[in-house]
Coordinates of all heavy atoms in Angstrom, one line a residue:
M1 N 9.2 0.1 -3.4 CA 8.4 0.0 -4.6 C 7.3 -1.0 -4.4 O 7.6 -2.1 -3.9 CB 9.2 -0.3 -5.8 CG 8.3 -0.5 -7.1 SD 9.3 -0.7 -8.6 CE 9.7 -2.4 -8.4
K2 N 6.1 -0.7 -4.7 CA 5.0 -1.6 -4.6 C 4.5 -1.9 -6.0 O 4.4 -1.1 -6.8 CB 3.8 -1.0 -3.8 CG 2.6 -1.9 -3.7 CD 1.9 -1.7 -2.4 CE 0.7 -2.6 -2.3 NZ 1.0 -3.8 -1.7
T3 N 4.3 -3.2 -6.3 CA 3.9 -3.7 -7.6 C 2.5 -4.2 -7.5 O 2.2 -5.0 -6.6 CB 4.9 -4.8 -8.1 OG1 6.2 -4.4 -8.1 CG2 4.5 -5.2 -9.5
I4 N 1.6 -3.8 -8.4 CA 0.2 -4.2 -8.4 C -0.1 -4.7 -9.8 O 0.1 -4.0 -10.8 CB -0.7 -3.0 -8.0 CG1 -0.3 -2.5 -6.6 CG2 -2.1 -3.5 -8.1 CD1 -0.9 -1.3 -6.2
S5 N -0.6 -5.9 -9.9 CA -1.1 -6.5 -11.2 C -2.3 -5.7 -11.7 O -3.2 -5.5 -11.0 CB -1.4 -7.9 -11.0 OG -2.0 -8.5 -12.1
K6 N -2.3 -5.4 -13.0 CA -3.4 -4.8 -13.6 C -4.7 -5.7 -13.5 O -5.8 -5.2 -13.4 CB -3.1 -4.4 -15.0 CG -2.2 -3.2 -15.1 CD -2.0 -2.7 -16.5 CE -1.2 -1.5 -16.6 NZ -1.1 -0.9 -18.0
A7 N -4.4 -7.0 -13.7 CA -5.5 -8.0 -13.7 C -6.2 -7.9 -12.3 O -7.5 -8.1 -12.3 CB -5.0 -9.4 -14.0
S8 N -5.5 -7.7 -11.2 CA -6.2 -7.7 -9.9 C -7.1 -6.5 -9.7 O -7.9 -6.5 -8.8 CB -5.1 -7.7 -8.8 OG -4.4 -6.4 -8.8
L9 N -7.0 -5.4 -10.5 CA -7.8 -4.3 -10.4 C -9.0 -4.3 -11.3 O -9.8 -3.4 -11.3 CB -7.0 -3.0 -10.7 CG -5.9 -2.7 -9.7 CD1 -5.1 -1.5 -10.2 CD2 -6.4 -2.5 -8.4
K10 N -9.2 -5.3 -12.1 CA -10.3 -5.4 -13.0 C -11.6 -5.4 -12.3 O -12.6 -4.9 -12.7 CB -10.2 -6.6 -14.0 CG -9.0 -6.5 -14.9 CD -9.1 -5.3 -15.9 CE -7.9 -5.3 -16.8 NZ -7.8 -4.0 -17.5
Q11 N -11.6 -6.1 -11.1 CA -12.9 -6.2 -10.3 C -13.2 -4.9 -9.6 O -14.4 -4.5 -9.5 CB -12.7 -7.4 -9.3 CG -12.5 -8.7 -10.0 CD -12.1 -9.8 -9.0 OE1 -11.8 -9.5 -7.8 NE2 -12.1 -11.0 -9.4
T12 N -12.2 -4.3 -9.0 CA -12.5 -3.1 -8.2 C -12.5 -1.8 -9.0 O -13.1 -0.8 -8.5 CB -11.4 -3.0 -7.1 OG1 -10.1 -2.9 -7.7 CG2 -11.5 -4.1 -6.1
G13 N -12.0 -1.8 -10.2 CA -12.0 -0.7 -11.0 C -10.7 0.1 -11.0 O -10.3 0.5 -9.9
E14 N -10.2 0.4 -12.1 CA -8.9 1.2 -12.2 C -9.1 2.6 -11.8 O -8.2 3.3 -11.3 CB -8.3 1.0 -13.6 CG -7.8 -0.4 -13.8 CD -7.2 -0.5 -15.2 OE1 -7.6 0.2 -16.1 OE2 -6.3 -1.4 -15.3
S15 N -10.3 3.2 -12.1 CA -10.5 4.6 -11.8 C -10.3 4.9 -10.4 O -9.7 6.0 -10.0 CB -11.9 5.1 -12.3 OG -12.9 4.4 -11.7
K16 N -10.8 4.1 -9.5 CA -10.7 4.3 -8.0 C -9.2 4.2 -7.7 O -8.7 5.0 -6.8 CB -11.4 3.2 -7.2 CG -12.9 3.5 -7.1 CD -13.5 2.6 -6.1 CE -14.9 3.1 -5.7 NZ -15.4 2.5 -4.5
F17 N -8.5 3.3 -8.3 CA -7.0 3.1 -8.0 C -6.3 4.4 -8.4 O -5.5 4.9 -7.6 CB -6.5 1.9 -8.8 CG -5.0 1.8 -8.7 CD1 -4.4 1.4 -7.6 CD2 -4.2 2.1 -9.8 CE1 -3.0 1.2 -7.5 CE2 -2.9 1.9 -9.8 CZ -2.3 1.5 -8.6
F18 N -6.5 4.9 -9.6 CA -5.9 6.1 -10.0 C -6.2 7.3 -9.1 O -5.3 8.1 -8.8 CB -6.2 6.5 -11.5 CG -5.7 5.5 -12.5 CD1 -6.5 5.0 -13.4 CD2 -4.3 5.2 -12.5 CE1 -6.0 4.1 -14.4 CE2 -3.8 4.3 -13.4 CZ -4.6 3.8 -14.4
E19 N -7.4 7.4 -8.7 CA -7.9 8.4 -7.8 C -7.1 8.3 -6.4 O -6.6 9.4 -5.9 CB -9.4 8.3 -7.5 CG -10.0 9.5 -6.8 CD -11.5 9.3 -6.7 OE1 -12.2 8.9 -7.7 OE2 -12.0 9.5 -5.6
E20 N -7.0 7.1 -5.9 CA -6.2 7.0 -4.7 C -4.7 7.3 -4.8 O -4.1 7.9 -3.9 CB -6.4 5.5 -4.2 CG -7.7 5.3 -3.5 CD -7.7 3.9 -2.8 OE1 -6.7 3.6 -2.2 OE2 -8.8 3.3 -2.9
V21 N -4.2 6.9 -5.9 CA -2.7 7.2 -6.2 C -2.5 8.7 -6.2 O -1.6 9.3 -5.6 CB -2.2 6.6 -7.5 CG1 -0.9 7.1 -7.9 CG2 -2.2 5.1 -7.4
E22 N -3.4 9.5 -6.9 CA -3.3 10.9 -7.0 C -3.4 11.5 -5.6 O -2.7 12.5 -5.2 CB -4.3 11.5 -7.9 CG -3.9 11.2 -9.4 CD -2.5 11.7 -9.7 OE1 -2.2 12.8 -9.4 OE2 -1.8 10.9 -10.4
I23 N -4.4 11.0 -4.8 CA -4.5 11.5 -3.4 C -3.3 11.3 -2.6 O -2.8 12.2 -1.9 CB -5.8 10.9 -2.7 CG1 -7.0 11.4 -3.4 CG2 -5.8 11.2 -1.2 CD1 -8.3 10.7 -3.0
L24 N -2.8 10.1 -2.7 CA -1.6 9.7 -1.9 C -0.3 10.6 -2.3 O 0.5 10.9 -1.5 CB -1.2 8.2 -2.0 CG -2.2 7.3 -1.2 CD1 -1.9 5.9 -1.6 CD2 -2.0 7.5 0.3
K25 N -0.2 10.8 -3.6 CA 0.9 11.6 -4.1 C 0.8 13.1 -3.6 O 1.8 13.7 -3.3 CB 0.9 11.7 -5.6 CG 1.5 10.4 -6.2 CD 1.4 10.4 -7.7 CE 2.3 11.4 -8.4 NZ 2.3 11.3 -9.8
S26 N -0.4 13.6 -3.3 CA -0.5 14.9 -2.8 C -0.4 15.1 -1.3 O -0.2 16.2 -0.8 CB -1.9 15.5 -3.3 OG -2.9 14.9 -2.6
L27 N -0.5 14.0 -0.6 CA -0.4 14.1 0.9 C 1.0 14.1 1.4 O 1.9 13.5 0.8 CB -1.1 12.9 1.5 CG -2.6 12.8 1.2 CD1 -3.2 11.5 1.8 CD2 -3.3 14.0 1.8
D28 N 1.2 14.8 2.5 CA 2.5 14.8 3.2 C 2.2 14.8 4.7 O 2.0 15.9 5.3 CB 3.3 16.0 2.8 CG 4.7 16.0 3.4 OD1 5.1 15.0 4.0 OD2 5.4 17.1 3.3
H29 N 2.1 13.6 5.3 CA 1.8 13.5 6.7 C 2.6 12.4 7.3 O 2.8 11.4 6.6 CB 0.3 13.1 6.8 CG -0.2 13.1 8.2 ND1 -0.1 12.1 9.1 CD2 -0.9 14.1 8.9 CE1 -0.6 12.4 10.2 NE2 -1.1 13.6 10.1
P30 N 3.1 12.5 8.5 CA 4.0 11.5 9.1 C 3.4 10.1 9.3 O 4.1 9.2 9.4 CB 4.4 12.1 10.4 CG 3.4 13.2 10.7 CD 2.9 13.7 9.4
N31 N 2.0 10.0 9.3 CA 1.4 8.8 9.5 C 0.8 8.1 8.3 O 0.1 7.1 8.4 CB 0.3 8.9 10.6 CG 0.8 9.3 11.9 OD1 1.9 9.0 12.3 ND2 0.0 10.1 12.7
I32 N 1.1 8.7 7.1 CA 0.6 8.2 5.9 C 1.8 7.9 4.9 O 2.7 8.8 4.8 CB -0.4 9.1 5.2 CG1 -1.6 9.4 6.1 CG2 -0.8 8.6 3.8 CD1 -2.5 10.4 5.6
L33 N 1.8 6.7 4.4 CA 2.9 6.3 3.5 C 3.0 7.3 2.3 O 2.0 7.6 1.7 CB 2.7 4.9 3.0 CG 3.7 4.4 2.0 CD1 5.0 4.1 2.8 CD2 3.2 3.1 1.3
R34 N 4.1 7.8 2.0 CA 4.3 8.8 1.0 C 4.5 8.1 -0.4 O 5.3 7.2 -0.5 CB 5.5 9.6 1.3 CG 5.8 10.8 0.5 CD 5.1 12.1 1.1 NE 5.0 13.1 0.1 CZ 5.9 14.0 -0.1 NH1 6.9 14.1 0.6 NH2 5.7 14.9 -1.1
V35 N 3.8 8.5 -1.4 CA 4.0 8.0 -2.8 C 4.7 9.1 -3.6 O 4.2 10.2 -3.7 CB 2.6 7.6 -3.4 CG1 2.8 7.2 -4.9 CG2 1.9 6.5 -2.6
F36 N 5.8 8.7 -4.1 CA 6.6 9.7 -4.9 C 6.3 9.6 -6.4 O 6.2 10.7 -7.0 CB 8.1 9.5 -4.6 CG 8.5 9.7 -3.2 CD1 8.9 8.6 -2.4 CD2 8.4 11.0 -2.6 CE1 9.3 8.8 -1.1 CE2 8.8 11.1 -1.3 CZ 9.2 10.1 -0.6
E37 N 6.3 8.4 -6.9 CA 6.1 8.3 -8.4 C 5.2 7.1 -8.7 O 5.0 6.2 -7.9 CB 7.4 8.0 -9.1 CG 8.4 9.2 -9.1 CD 7.9 10.4 -9.9 OE1 7.1 10.2 -10.9 OE2 8.2 11.5 -9.6
F38 N 4.7 7.1 -9.9 CA 3.8 6.1 -10.4 C 4.1 5.7 -11.8 O 4.2 6.6 -12.6 CB 2.3 6.6 -10.3 CG 1.3 5.7 -10.9 CD1 1.0 4.5 -10.3 CD2 0.7 6.0 -12.1 CE1 0.0 3.6 -10.9 CE2 -0.2 5.2 -12.7 CZ -0.6 4.0 -12.1
Y39 N 4.4 4.4 -12.1 CA 4.7 4.0 -13.4 C 3.8 2.8 -13.8 O 3.3 2.1 -12.9 CB 6.1 3.5 -13.5 CG 7.1 4.6 -13.1 CD1 7.7 4.6 -11.9 CD2 7.5 5.6 -14.0 CE1 8.6 5.6 -11.5 CE2 8.4 6.6 -13.7 CZ 8.9 6.6 -12.4 OH 9.8 7.5 -12.1
Q40 N 3.7 2.4 -15.1 CA 3.0 1.3 -15.5 C 3.6 0.7 -16.7 O 4.3 1.4 -17.5 CB 1.5 1.6 -15.7 CG 1.3 2.6 -16.8 CD -0.2 2.8 -17.0 OE1 -1.0 1.8 -17.1 NE2 -0.6 4.1 -17.0
N41 N 3.4 -0.6 -16.9 CA 3.7 -1.3 -18.2 C 2.4 -2.0 -18.6 O 1.4 -1.8 -18.1 CB 5.0 -2.1 -18.1 CG 4.8 -3.3 -17.2 OD1 3.7 -3.7 -16.8 ND2 6.0 -3.9 -16.8
E42 N 2.6 -3.0 -19.5 CA 1.4 -3.7 -20.0 C 0.7 -4.5 -19.0 O -0.5 -4.7 -19.0 CB 1.8 -4.6 -21.2 CG 2.5 -4.0 -22.3 CD 4.0 -3.8 -22.1 OE1 4.6 -4.6 -21.4 OE2 4.5 -2.7 -22.5
K43 N 1.4 -5.0 -18.0 CA 0.8 -5.9 -17.0 C 0.7 -5.4 -15.6 O 0.0 -6.0 -14.8 CB 1.6 -7.3 -17.0 CG 1.4 -8.0 -18.3 CD 2.1 -9.3 -18.2 CE 2.0 -10.1 -19.6 NZ 2.5 -11.4 -19.5
K44 N 1.5 -4.4 -15.2 CA 1.6 -4.0 -13.8 C 1.7 -2.5 -13.6 O 2.1 -1.8 -14.5 CB 2.9 -4.6 -13.2 CG 2.8 -6.1 -13.1 CD 4.0 -6.7 -12.4 CE 3.8 -8.2 -12.3 NZ 4.8 -8.9 -11.6
Y45 N 1.3 -2.1 -12.4 CA 1.5 -0.7 -12.0 C 2.6 -0.7 -10.9 O 2.8 -1.7 -10.2 CB 0.2 -0.2 -11.3 CG -0.9 -0.1 -12.2 CD1 -2.0 -0.9 -12.1 CD2 -0.9 0.9 -13.3 CE1 -3.1 -0.7 -12.9 CE2 -2.0 1.0 -14.1 CZ -3.1 0.2 -13.9 OH -4.2 0.3 -14.8
Y46 N 3.4 0.3 -10.9 CA 4.5 0.4 -9.9 C 4.4 1.7 -9.2 O 4.3 2.8 -9.8 CB 5.8 0.4 -10.7 CG 6.0 -0.8 -11.5 CD1 5.7 -0.9 -12.8 CD2 6.6 -2.0 -10.9 CE1 5.8 -2.0 -13.6 CE2 6.7 -3.1 -11.7 CZ 6.4 -3.1 -13.0 OH 6.5 -4.3 -13.8
L47 N 4.3 1.6 -7.8 CA 4.3 2.8 -7.0 C 5.6 2.9 -6.3 O 6.0 2.0 -5.6 CB 3.2 2.7 -5.9 CG 1.7 2.6 -6.4 CD1 0.8 2.2 -5.3 CD2 1.4 4.0 -7.0
I48 N 6.2 4.1 -6.4 CA 7.5 4.3 -5.7 C 7.1 5.1 -4.4 O 6.6 6.2 -4.5 CB 8.5 5.2 -6.6 CG1 8.6 4.6 -8.0 CG2 9.8 5.3 -5.8 CD1 9.1 3.1 -8.0
T49 N 7.4 4.4 -3.3 CA 7.0 4.9 -2.0 C 8.2 5.2 -1.1 O 9.3 4.7 -1.4 CB 6.0 4.0 -1.3 OG1 6.7 2.8 -1.0 CG2 4.8 3.6 -2.1
E50 N 7.9 5.8 0.0 CA 9.0 6.0 1.0 C 9.3 4.6 1.6 O 8.4 3.7 1.6 CB 8.6 7.0 2.1 CG 7.5 6.5 3.0 CD 7.2 7.6 4.0 OE1 8.1 8.0 4.8 OE2 6.0 8.0 4.0
Y51 N 10.5 4.4 2.1 CA 10.9 3.1 2.7 C 10.3 3.0 4.1 O 10.4 3.9 4.9 CB 12.4 3.0 2.8 CG 12.9 1.8 3.4 CD1 12.7 0.5 2.7 CD2 13.5 1.8 4.7 CE1 13.1 -0.6 3.3 CE2 13.9 0.6 5.2 CZ 13.7 -0.6 4.6 OH 14.2 -1.8 5.1
C52 N 9.7 1.8 4.4 CA 9.2 1.4 5.7 C 9.9 0.2 6.1 O 9.7 -0.9 5.5 CB 7.7 1.2 5.6 SG 6.8 2.7 5.3
S53 N 10.7 0.2 7.1 CA 11.5 -0.9 7.5 C 10.8 -2.0 8.2 O 11.3 -3.1 8.2 CB 12.6 -0.4 8.5 OG 12.0 0.2 9.6
G54 N 9.6 -1.9 8.7 CA 9.0 -2.9 9.5 C 8.2 -3.9 8.7 O 7.6 -4.8 9.3
G55 N 8.2 -3.8 7.4 CA 7.3 -4.7 6.6 C 5.9 -4.2 6.6 O 5.6 -3.1 7.0
N56 N 5.0 -5.0 6.0 CA 3.6 -4.5 6.0 C 2.7 -5.3 7.0 O 3.0 -6.4 7.4 CB 3.0 -4.6 4.6 CG 2.6 -5.9 4.1 OD1 2.1 -6.7 4.9 ND2 2.8 -6.2 2.8
L57 N 1.7 -4.6 7.4 CA 0.8 -5.1 8.5 C 0.1 -6.4 8.1 O 0.0 -7.3 8.9 CB -0.2 -4.0 8.8 CG -1.3 -4.4 9.9 CD1 -0.6 -4.7 11.2 CD2 -2.2 -3.3 10.1
F58 N -0.3 -6.5 6.8 CA -1.0 -7.7 6.4 C -0.1 -8.9 6.6 O -0.6 -10.0 7.1 CB -1.4 -7.6 4.9 CG -2.1 -8.7 4.4 CD1 -3.4 -9.0 4.7 CD2 -1.5 -9.6 3.5 CE1 -4.1 -10.1 4.2 CE2 -2.2 -10.7 3.0 CZ -3.5 -11.0 3.4
N59 N 1.1 -8.9 6.2 CA 2.0 -10.0 6.3 C 2.2 -10.4 7.8 O 2.3 -11.6 8.2 CB 3.4 -9.8 5.7 CG 3.3 -9.9 4.2 OD1 2.3 -10.4 3.6 ND2 4.2 -9.2 3.5
Q60 N 2.3 -9.4 8.7 CA 2.4 -9.6 10.1 C 1.2 -10.3 10.6 O 1.3 -11.2 11.4 CB 2.7 -8.3 10.8 CG 2.9 -8.5 12.3 CD 4.2 -9.2 12.6 OE1 5.2 -9.0 12.0 NE2 4.1 -10.1 13.6
L61 N 0.0 -9.8 10.2 CA -1.2 -10.4 10.7 C -1.4 -11.9 10.2 O -2.0 -12.7 10.9 CB -2.4 -9.6 10.2 CG -2.6 -8.2 10.8 CD1 -3.7 -7.5 10.2 CD2 -2.7 -8.3 12.3
K62 N -0.9 -12.2 9.1 CA -1.0 -13.6 8.6 C -0.2 -14.6 9.5 O -0.6 -15.8 9.5 CB -0.4 -13.7 7.2 CG -1.3 -13.1 6.1 CD -1.0 -13.5 4.7 CE 0.4 -13.4 4.3 NZ 0.7 -13.6 2.9
T63 N 0.8 -14.1 10.2 CA 1.5 -15.0 11.1 C 0.8 -15.2 12.4 O 1.2 -16.2 13.1 CB 2.9 -14.4 11.4 OG1 2.8 -13.2 12.1 CG2 3.7 -14.1 10.1
E64 N -0.2 -14.5 12.7 CA -0.9 -14.6 14.0 C -1.9 -15.8 13.9 O -2.5 -16.0 12.8 CB -1.7 -13.3 14.3 CG -0.8 -12.1 14.5 CD 0.0 -12.1 15.8 OE1 -0.5 -12.7 16.8 OE2 1.1 -11.5 15.9
K65 N -2.1 -16.5 15.0 CA -3.1 -17.6 15.0 C -4.5 -17.0 15.1 O -5.5 -17.6 14.7 CB -2.8 -18.5 16.1 CG -1.5 -19.3 16.0 CD -1.3 -20.3 17.0 CE 0.0 -21.0 17.0 NZ 0.7 -21.2 15.8
Q66 N -4.7 -15.9 15.8 CA -6.0 -15.3 15.9 C -5.8 -13.8 15.7 O -4.7 -13.2 15.8 CB -6.6 -15.5 17.3 CG -5.8 -15.0 18.5 CD -6.5 -15.4 19.8 OE1 -7.2 -16.4 19.8 NE2 -6.2 -14.7 20.8
L67 N -6.9 -13.1 15.5 CA -6.8 -11.6 15.3 C -6.3 -10.9 16.5 O -6.8 -11.1 17.6 CB -8.2 -11.1 15.0 CG -8.3 -9.7 14.5 CD1 -7.5 -9.5 13.2 CD2 -9.8 -9.3 14.3
P68 N -5.2 -10.2 16.4 CA -4.6 -9.5 17.5 C -5.5 -8.4 18.1 O -6.4 -7.9 17.4 CB -3.3 -8.9 17.0 CG -3.4 -9.0 15.5 CD -4.5 -9.9 15.1
T69 N -5.2 -8.0 19.3 CA -6.0 -6.9 19.9 C -5.6 -5.6 19.3 O -4.5 -5.5 18.6 CB -5.6 -6.8 21.4 OG1 -4.2 -6.5 21.6 CG2 -5.9 -8.1 22.1
E70 N -6.4 -4.6 19.5 CA -6.1 -3.2 19.0 C -4.7 -2.7 19.5 O -3.9 -2.1 18.8 CB -7.2 -2.3 19.4 CG -7.0 -0.9 18.8 CD -8.2 0.0 19.2 OE1 -9.3 -0.5 19.6 OE2 -8.0 1.2 19.0
Q71 N -4.4 -3.1 20.8 CA -3.1 -2.7 21.4 C -2.0 -3.3 20.7 O -1.0 -2.7 20.4 CB -3.1 -3.1 22.9 CG -1.8 -2.8 23.6 CD -1.4 -1.3 23.6 OE1 -2.3 -0.5 23.7 NE2 -0.1 -1.0 23.5
K72 N -2.1 -4.6 20.3 CA -1.0 -5.3 19.6 C -0.8 -4.7 18.2 O 0.3 -4.5 17.8 CB -1.4 -6.8 19.5 CG -0.3 -7.7 18.9 CD 0.8 -7.8 20.0 CE 1.7 -8.9 19.5 NZ 2.9 -9.0 20.4
I73 N -1.9 -4.4 17.5 CA -1.8 -3.7 16.2 C -1.1 -2.4 16.3 O -0.3 -2.0 15.5 CB -3.2 -3.6 15.5 CG1 -3.7 -5.0 15.1 CG2 -3.1 -2.7 14.3 CD1 -5.1 -5.1 14.6
A74 N -1.4 -1.6 17.4 CA -0.8 -0.3 17.6 C 0.7 -0.5 17.8 O 1.5 0.3 17.3 CB -1.4 0.4 18.8
E75 N 1.1 -1.6 18.5 CA 2.5 -1.9 18.7 C 3.2 -2.2 17.3 O 4.3 -1.8 17.0 CB 2.7 -3.1 19.6 CG 2.4 -2.8 21.0 CD 2.4 -4.0 21.9 OE1 2.9 -5.1 21.5 OE2 1.8 -3.9 23.0
Y76 N 2.5 -3.0 16.4 CA 3.0 -3.3 15.1 C 3.3 -2.0 14.3 O 4.3 -1.8 13.7 CB 2.1 -4.1 14.3 CG 1.9 -5.6 14.8 CD1 0.7 -6.2 14.5 CD2 2.9 -6.2 15.4 CE1 0.6 -7.5 14.9 CE2 2.8 -7.5 15.9 CZ 1.6 -8.2 15.6 OH 1.4 -9.5 16.0
M77 N 2.3 -1.1 14.4 CA 2.4 0.1 13.6 C 3.4 1.1 14.1 O 4.0 1.8 13.4 CB 1.0 0.9 13.6 CG -0.1 0.1 13.0 SD 0.2 -0.5 11.3 CE 0.2 1.0 10.4
Q78 N 3.7 1.0 15.4 CA 4.7 1.9 16.0 C 6.1 1.4 15.5 O 7.0 2.1 15.2 CB 4.6 1.8 17.5 CG 5.4 2.9 18.2 CD 5.2 2.9 19.7 OE1 4.8 1.9 20.3 NE2 5.3 4.1 20.3

């Protein structure tokens, strides 16, 4: 499950977010994270996605001292 604060979307616009969620829900491809359900409450949005055991790329990149090569990112994604 991915949790997104509604306040964080005020700058970028919620309409784009909803559009992306609908697109992701309709896709079924082995290289794209699958979104199964979408919920919200007063403060947050919740996306129910397929499980990915490796963590997310952003957190991995934060641990690097410099931007990794394309080859290294491909290894992370694999």
Side-chain angles (χ1 to χ4, degrees):
M1 178 175 74
K2 178 147 179 93
T3 306
I4 301 169
S5 167
K6 287 184 175 184
S8 70
L9 293 177
K10 295 297 180 195
Q11 297 169 349
T12 59
E14 291 179 331
S15 62
K16 280 189 168 196
F17 173 72
F18 290 130
E19 192 176 315
E20 283 191 39
V21 168
E22 287 307 312
I23 290 169
L24 287 171
K25 283 174 68 175
S26 70
L27 295 176
D28 185 10
H29 188 278
N31 296 332
I32 299 173
L33 181 72
R34 189 92 198 266
V35 174
F36 297 112
E37 292 292 332
F38 171 73
Y39 303 100
Q40 64 178 310
N41 64 18
E42 303 81 36
K43 295 184 179 185
K44 295 185 179 183
Y45 295 113
Y46 302 92
L47 294 168
I48 309 303
T49 66
E50 68 182 302
Y51 178 69
C52 294
S53 62
N56 77 37
L57 179 60
F58 181 73
N59 288 339
Q60 183 65 42
L61 291 175
K62 286 193 315 188
T63 65
E64 300 286 332
K65 295 189 186 326
Q66 62 184 23
L67 190 61
T69 64
E70 185 177 341
Q71 177 62 35
K72 189 72 168 171
I73 291 175
E75 291 172 16
Y76 291 152
M77 298 307 291
Q78 193 173 28

